[in-house]
């Protein structure tokens, strides 16, 4: 989750017009700076949606809090064509959604 936060926050900073001093403190993020709350379970336990809050900044200057939502999916194991129909539908749905975010909603 910490690695995910370090990867997502620069884009959030850019979108929000946040200064470079906050961005430079990203390398110092540790597990103590991250709070994770499970919002819901998906696909019969094959995935979850989490609310992640990250504290960024210097103790002396004050920390800023950034919150984002992450969807984590564990695809069903096995070859696609050997999966039960329900698991195939879930896997296909996941790939459609991932392609949407990767190619259409990334800007």
């Amino acid at each position: 989750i910490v690695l995910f936060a370090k990867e997502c926050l620069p884009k959030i900073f850019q979108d929000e017009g946040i200064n470079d001093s906050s961005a430079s403190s990203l390398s110092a993020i540790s597990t103590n700076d991250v709070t994770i709350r499970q919002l819901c379970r998906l696909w019969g336990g094959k995935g979850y949606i989490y609310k992640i809050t990250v504290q960024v900044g210097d103790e002396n200057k004050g920390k800023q809090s950034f919150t984002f939502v992450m969807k984590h999916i564990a695809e069903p194991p096995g070859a696609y064509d050997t999966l039960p129909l329900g698991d195939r539908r879930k896997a296909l749905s996941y790939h459609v959604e991932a392609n949407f975010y990767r190619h259409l909603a990334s800007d």
Side-chain angles (χ1 to χ4, degrees), residues 9-10 13 18-28 56 64:
L9 285 174
F13 288 172
I18 296 169
N19 64 29
D20 290 336
S21 64
S22 292
S24 65
S25 64
L26 289 178
S27 61
V56 178
Q64 286 184 283

Side-chain angles (χ1 to χ4, degrees), residues 86-99:
D87 285 347
R88 278 189 274 169
R89 284 183 32 245
K90 292 169 191 167
L92 179 60
S93 173
Y94 167 73
H95 286 288
V96 168
E97 183 179 2
N99 280 327

Side-chain angles (χ1 to χ4, degrees), residues 4 12 16 33-34 38 43 47 67 69 77 83 102-103:
F4 183 78
I12 294 170
E16 297 296 321
D33 300 315
V34 180
Q38 180 182 313
W43 298 356
T67 301
V69 174
L83 295 173
R102 188 176 296 118
H103 299 293

Side-chain angles (χ1 to χ4, degrees), residues 14-57:
Q14 179 184 0
D15 291 348
E16 297 296 321
I18 296 169
N19 64 29
D20 290 336
S21 64
S22 292
S24 65
S25 64
L26 289 178
S27 61
I29 293 176
S30 73
T31 54
N32 294 333
D33 300 315
V34 180
T35 304
I36 303 165
R37 190 174 117 220
Q38 180 182 313
L39 298 179
C40 67
R41 188 175 83 133
L42 306 169
W43 298 356
K46 291 181 173 60
Y48 297 89
I49 295 180
Y50 298 101
K51 178 181 178 182
I52 301 169
T53 302
V54 181
Q55 299 292 320
V56 178

